[in-house]
Every structure is written in C-alpha cells, then in structure tokens.
C-alpha cells in the first residue's frame, strides 16, 4: 500500500473520514505512515440499498434521514474497530460535496462538531477528488495519471496532476454510465442498483442480438453520450413485449457490449491526446462504482496495454463510495497543509478540474 515517489514524507497521521454524499453512510480511520504509505485501520459502510430499493433509485429525503439516524453509530464503529480515540486523530475529513445536499450537510456538520469538540483540524474533501486519489492509498503511483471516473452520478476523464490540481479532459454530455445501467435495469424490471444485476444477466446473454447505437464513437474530443443507448434499449424492450429471462439477458449483454465499445474508444482518444503532452499519464486509473464491472475492467486492460500505459484499479470495494477514500484524501491534503475553516459550506455541485484546487 502506498503513495508515489512525489508524495510528501515525514509526517505520520491518523485521519477519520466521513462519507454521506449519496446512499452510503460511511466512516473510516486511515493511518498515513511517515514513509507516505497508507493503511486502512477501519472502513465501515452502511449501504442504504434496502431503504431505496422499492423506489428504483435513491430518494434524497430518505437518504438524508437515514444518514442522520446511522452516522453516529457508523463513526463509533469505525473508531472502535481502529482502536482509536478522537484525541488521537490528527484531523477529521468529511465529503463536503458534490452530492445530495441533505446528506452532505449531515456528514459535514457531524465532522465540524467532532473537530470543534476534539480541537482537531477539519478537512472538507471533494468527493470526486477522493475517488481520484484512492489509488495512491493502495498502489505506489506518482502524478500525473489519467482518471476514468465512472459512477452513478459521474462519467469523466480527468488528468490528475497533483493534489488539488485536476484538468477536465472529457465527460458525458447527458447520462452517467452508472445511471444508464440503473435506468436499463429499471426498464427491464431488474432490482436497484442496476449495474451489478445487468452485469450478472449479461453473462448469460448474446451481445450481438440487438444492434444498439454507440454515440460519440470516433469523435476527436473524448466525450460520452449514453441517452441514445438508453432510448434504444427501451424501444427494443417494447418491441419484444414479453421480457423472458433470455430476452433480458440478450438486452443486458447487447447494452453492455455497446457501453464497453464506447468506453474503450473514448479512453483510447484521451490517451492519444495526452501521449505527447507534458502531462503524459503514468497510468490509467479507474474509480467509481462502474469500475467494479469485470467486463469493463478487462476491456480497459486491452486498450491500455495497446497504448503502452499501465492500468491501475483500486480493489472493487474501494471503487464504490466509502469513508477510507475521504480519510486518505484528507491525509493527502493535511500533509500539504491544506485545512478548512469551520464555516466551510456544503456544496451540491463541485466540479473537479474547475475550482477543486481552491
Ligand atoms: O461510485 P458509486 O458507488 O456511487 C456514486 O454514484 O457516487 O457508483 C454507483 C453506480 C451505480 O450506478 C451502480 O449501478 C454502478 O455504480 N455499478 C455498476 C456495477 N457496480 C456498481 N455498474 C456496472 N457494473 C457493475 N458491476
Ligand atoms: Zn462516488
């Protein structure tokens, strides 16, 4: 486990990280050793799947209430499992956005209260920055690298050039890839969240049965578009009428094949754009829940080896939302002296690459 050659050395720190931006109530304690290596002491996640399942998606009001009810216990458990007391922490880090504002308020306000009472610095972490830096918790990698962030809310390619220095390379002009998986699942009456279920069904299906569009493929700028694909699935499903298991499997496989083609093409274009720049990436790093998809992971393996760029993937449990990534981003910031005041505001929108360096 550890950070890269360009990280700051010499400071050992213990950080509590709090994540409440969507439907996971999560807290973790991460130790950053003097040599820059990271070590997860505890990582507690309460996923609100059951609370939202009947609605086929995350309901912001239900999520915010659940965070209020669960967060104290989740933090207590994370501290107990780490064998740590608040007085031993070096800072409290919380995701201050972007995300569902009710949840962000719960997490950030709780972090402020702990920071105030325990007299510790507060670090207001950008949730996307935390995804971007997670790889440095588990692998030795220095800057710059190209991040493919693929989650339920985001589909972006970002050049990660330093802590606090991110450059937007491309992204979706409509739906996020995870959102397209979730909407496809909903149209096929599959349970929420759709990604893992669509992937499971796709394994039994014929990816060539339906010819679906692959928007944006071949375009010179590495953007994504998923809404046409989603509409095409709806039309095919309506034409079929009866959604037998075989039909569902073939639709899922055809959908996933289109997604894979889009992702591979867009990543190839982005790597090509950066290859001869001063920011030639040392690796392609994947983050976000969709990064857990095995078919996408193996397609990315092929495109990166063709391009001669290593592929680095955090373990699947650190691809989805968690507190350890917030704590680690907190450590990366604290070691560089970046702390925040107690009047920091929660933010529902907070794009990376535009003002995250502020
Ligand atoms: O990063 P994440 O846990 O939460 C945020 O959206 O921030 O990502 C969740 C998204 C959901 O849309 C889910 O359907 C998708 O990631 N996902 C997957 C897989 N596992 C989770 N999509 C495709 N294949 C998977 N195996
Ligand atoms: Zn996320």
């Amino acid at each position: 486990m550890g950070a890269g050659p360009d990280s700051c050395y010499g400071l050992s720190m213990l950080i509590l990280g709090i994540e409440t931006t969507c439907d996971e109530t999560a807290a973790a304690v991460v130790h950053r050793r003097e040599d820059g290596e990271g070590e997860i002491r505890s990582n507690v996640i309460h996923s609100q799947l059951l609370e939202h399942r009947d609605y086929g998606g995350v309901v912001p009001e239900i999520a915010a209430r659940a965070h209020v009810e669960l967060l104290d216990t989740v933090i207590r458990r994370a501290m107990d499992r780490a064998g740590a007391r608040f007085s031993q922490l070096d800072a409290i880090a919380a995701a201050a956005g972007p995300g569902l504002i009710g949840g962000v308020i719960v997490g950030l306000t709780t972090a402020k209260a702990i920071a105030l009472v325990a007299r510790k610095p507060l670090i207001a972490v950008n949730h996307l920055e935390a995804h971007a830096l997670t790889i440095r918790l588990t692998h030795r990698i220095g800057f710059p690298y190209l991040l493919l962030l693929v989650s339920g809310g985001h589909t972006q390619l970002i050049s990660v050039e330093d802590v606090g220095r991110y450059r937007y390379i491309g992204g979706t002009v409509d739906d996020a890839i995870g959102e397209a998986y979730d909407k496809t699942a909903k149209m096929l009456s599959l349970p929420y969240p759709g990604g893992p279920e669509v992937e499971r069904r796709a394994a039994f299906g014929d990816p060539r049965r339906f010819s679906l569009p692959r928007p944006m493929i071949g375009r010179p700028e590495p953007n994504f578009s998923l809404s046409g694909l989603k509409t095409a699935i709806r039309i095919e499903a309506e034409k079929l009428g009866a959604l037998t298991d075989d039909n569902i499997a073939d639709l899922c496989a055809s959908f996933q094949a289109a997604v894979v083609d889009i992702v591979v093409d867009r990543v190839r274009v982005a790597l090509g754009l950066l290859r001869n720049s001063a920011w030639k990436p040392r690796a392609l790093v994947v983050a976000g829940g969709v990064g857990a998809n095995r078919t996408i992971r193996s397609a990315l393996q092929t495109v990166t080896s063709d391009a001669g760029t290593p592929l680095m993937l955090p373990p699947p449990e650190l691809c989805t939302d968690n507190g350890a990534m917030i704590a680690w981003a907190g450590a990366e910031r604290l070691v560089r002296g970046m702390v925040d005041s107690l009047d920091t505001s929660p933010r529902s929108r907070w794009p990376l690459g535009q003002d995250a360096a502020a």
Side-chain angles (χ1 to χ4, degrees):
M1 295 245 221
D6 55 357
S7 60
C8 306
Y9 296 99
L11 281 178
S12 158
M13 45 187 63
L14 196 65
I15 313 275
L16 169 66
I18 297 173
E19 160 59 35
T20 54
T21 62
C22 191
D23 59 342
E24 329 283 352
T25 312
V29 176
V30 168
H31 178 216
R32 182 196 186 277
R33 295 199 326 232
E34 281 177 24
D35 60 4
E37 301 263 323
E39 183 196 338
I40 299 174
R41 291 278 174 87
S42 65
N43 193 18
V44 179
I45 304 175
H46 177 98
S47 183
Q48 302 172 9
L49 279 183
L50 295 177
E51 285 89 337
H52 301 286
R53 181 151 257 187
D54 289 349
Y55 303 92
V58 179
V59 182
E61 178 61 25
I62 294 176
R65 280 168 194 248
H67 288 306
V68 171
E69 283 161 19
L70 295 162
L71 187 56
D72 285 354
T73 310
V74 166
I75 292 174
R76 172 56 50 214
R77 208 165 280 160
M79 294 296 290
D80 287 349
R81 280 189 198 163
R85 294 188 304 275
F86 288 140
S87 60
Q88 294 171 314
L89 296 171
D90 292 289
I92 323 294
L100 300 173
I101 195 66
V104 179
I105 291 171
V106 174
L108 185 59
T109 308
T110 304
K112 286 177 181 177
I114 298 170
L116 190 64
V117 170
R119 295 172 191 272
K120 303 291 177 184
L122 171 77
I123 305 173
V125 170
N126 180 315
H127 175 94
L128 305 178
E129 173 177 50
H131 275 305
L133 298 175
T134 302
I135 196 71
R136 289 163 54 84
L137 169 59
T138 54
H139 293 65
R140 295 195 73 85
I141 177 171
F143 302 109
Y145 51 87
L146 179 63
L147 174 76
L148 172 66
L149 175 62
V150 275
S151 68
H154 303 276
T155 294
Q156 296 178 2
L157 283 157
I158 292 166
S159 171
V160 181
E161 294 166 357
D162 201 344
V163 173
R165 187 183 169 116
Y166 310 96
R167 197 154 47 90
Y168 182 87
I169 304 295
T172 183
V173 298
D174 41 53
D175 295 347
I177 295 180
E179 193 181 352
Y181 266 94
D182 294 336
K183 287 179 177 170
T184 295
K186 202 170 181 178
M187 284 186 277
L188 303 178
S189 303
L190 300 177
Y192 174 84
E197 188 64 19
V198 170
E199 180 181 21
R200 204 172 64 76
R201 301 281 186 139
F204 303 102
D206 174 4
R208 285 171 299 275
R209 170 150 168 221
F210 301 97
S211 87
L212 301 172
R214 275 122 170 102
M216 297 276 181
I217 282 199
R219 295 268 192 98
E221 61 301 325
N223 289 325
F224 298 74
S225 169
L226 276 302
S227 71
L229 178 56
K230 182 190 66 191
T231 308
I233 287 282
R234 183 170 50 72
I235 292 167
E236 294 294 349
E238 281 167 8
K239 272 198 258 170
L240 286 170
L243 282 176
T244 61
D245 279 349
D246 281 350
N247 285 340
I248 291 176
D250 291 346
L251 279 168
C252 288
S254 301
F255 165 80
Q256 187 160 274
V259 170
V260 165
D261 286 352
I262 295 168
V263 170
V264 162
D265 181 77
R266 308 292 66 207
V267 166
R268 187 176 288 129
V269 167
L271 287 174
L273 284 177
L274 292 170
R275 185 178 305 128
N276 297 318
S277 76
W279 301 105
K280 181 176 187 289
R282 293 176 191 223
L284 174 74
V285 170
V286 183
V290 182
N293 185 290
R294 278 172 297 248
T295 313
I296 295 177
R297 287 168 91 103
S298 79
L300 288 171
Q301 191 69 64
T302 309
V303 68
T304 47
S305 68
D306 287 353
T309 306
L311 173 65
M312 287 191 167
L313 300 159
E317 69 276 12
L318 293 180
C319 274
T320 47
D321 292 349
N322 64 84
M325 71 180 194
I326 306 298
W328 177 250
E332 294 256 47
R333 292 184 81 81
L334 184 63
V335 79
R336 290 165 176 80
M338 299 164 157
V339 295
D340 295 278
S341 74
L342 288 178
D343 57 12
T344 300
S345 299
R347 305 170 69 163
S348 58
R349 272 185 50 74
W350 191 356
L352 205 55
Q354 291 163 37
D355 59 354

